[in-house]
């Protein structure tokens, strides 16, 4: 399970403007559920990268939401981004004409989120994160009402009813 030190390491780099939005009451419940699921295997991404999407100031124009992190050591805390190309990334990278799998350079204009901020190799954590993510998305939508939300896949599209002010595009 994520211990107190790992949780502190994950929360510490969150940009100060994001803190009141990200540090929501439902976060504790999500982390408790993730702790239980840790018995199944190694959590990805590593604890310090769980909130990687929120390290930069909130100046984004677009939010790209996927399902969950890549279930291996390539997960970097940003949706559709990894340290090494995975088979499931190839079509996305080809579609976007990308020559690599690390989307860190996008973080100044695109918030790269997943429905689940963690996973293990054999089990996604979407159910553990869903209540928190619904709350978080609503708060982001209030905070930045002009965002364009791109929801990729059925799990991410479950967020659409909770986005009241931004523009929602759904694919997949």
């Amino acid at each position: 399970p994520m211990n107190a030190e790992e949780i502190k390491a994950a929360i510490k780099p969150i940009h100060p403007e994001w803190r009141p939005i990200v540090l929501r009451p439902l976060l504790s419940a999500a982390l408790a559920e993730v702790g239980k699921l840790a018995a199944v295997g190694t959590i990805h991404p590593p604890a310090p990268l769980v909130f990687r999407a929120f390290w930069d100031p909130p100046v984004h124009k677009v939010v790209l939401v996927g399902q969950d992190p890549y279930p291996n050591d390539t997960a970097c805390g940003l949706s559709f981004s990894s340290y090494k190309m995975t088979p499931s990334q190839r079509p996305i990278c080809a579609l976007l004409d990308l020559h690599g799998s690390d989307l860190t350079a996008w973080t100044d204009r695109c918030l790269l989120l997943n429905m689940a901020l963690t996973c293990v190799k054999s089990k996604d954590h979407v159910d553990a994160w869903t209540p928190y993510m619904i709350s978080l998305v609503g708060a982001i939508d209030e905070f930045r009402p002009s965002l364009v939300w791109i929801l990729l896949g059925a799990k991410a599209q479950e967020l659409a009813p909770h986005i009241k002010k931004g523009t929602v595009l759904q694919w997949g």
Side-chain angles (χ1 to χ4, degrees):
M2 289 179 71
N3 62 40
E5 290 304 312
E6 289 175 314
I7 293 169
K8 284 180 189 173
I11 290 171
K12 185 177 180 180
I14 296 172
H15 190 276
E17 291 179 59
W18 279 121
R19 284 179 174 270
I21 291 141
V22 175
L23 303 179
R24 311 193 61 68
L26 292 172
L27 178 57
S28 297
L31 292 174
E33 286 299 311
V34 168
K36 292 176 194 172
L37 293 168
V40 176
T42 303
I43 293 177
H44 300 288
L49 298 176
V50 169
F51 296 102
R52 172 61 187 93
F54 300 102
W55 289 4
D56 298 307
V59 295
H60 312 92
K61 306 278 187 228
V62 175
V63 182
L64 182 64
V65 184
Q67 179 173 318
D68 51 16
Y70 293 102
N72 53 41
D73 293 335
T74 68
C76 66
L78 301 170
S79 65
F80 301 102
S81 183
S82 67
Y83 296 123
K84 181 181 171 196
M85 183 74 73
T86 65
S88 64
Q89 277 181 296
R90 285 191 181 95
I92 296 164
C93 291
L95 177 71
L96 299 173
D97 197 28
L98 299 175
H99 302 289
S101 58
D102 183 356
L103 302 182
T104 304
W106 289 27
T107 61
D108 65 336
R109 60 194 170 275
C110 186
L111 185 61
L112 301 167
L113 282 180
N114 280 312
M115 273 295 290
L117 300 183
T118 59
C119 70
V120 295
K121 188 169 189 166
S122 60
K123 178 155 178 49
D124 73 49
H125 292 177
V126 172
D127 291 341
W129 284 102
T130 296
Y132 170 76
M133 291 306 292
I134 289 170
S135 172
L136 177 65
V137 163
I140 293 171
D141 188 45
E142 284 290 325
F143 178 59
R144 301 289 316 277
S146 63
L147 288 170
V148 174
W149 295 78
I150 302 173
L151 309 178
L152 300 175
K155 291 291 185 181
Q157 289 169 13
E158 292 174 12
L159 295 173
H162 306 283
I163 301 167
K164 308 288 187 203
K165 297 183 178 184
T167 302
V168 177
L169 305 173
Q170 300 180 58
W171 187 61

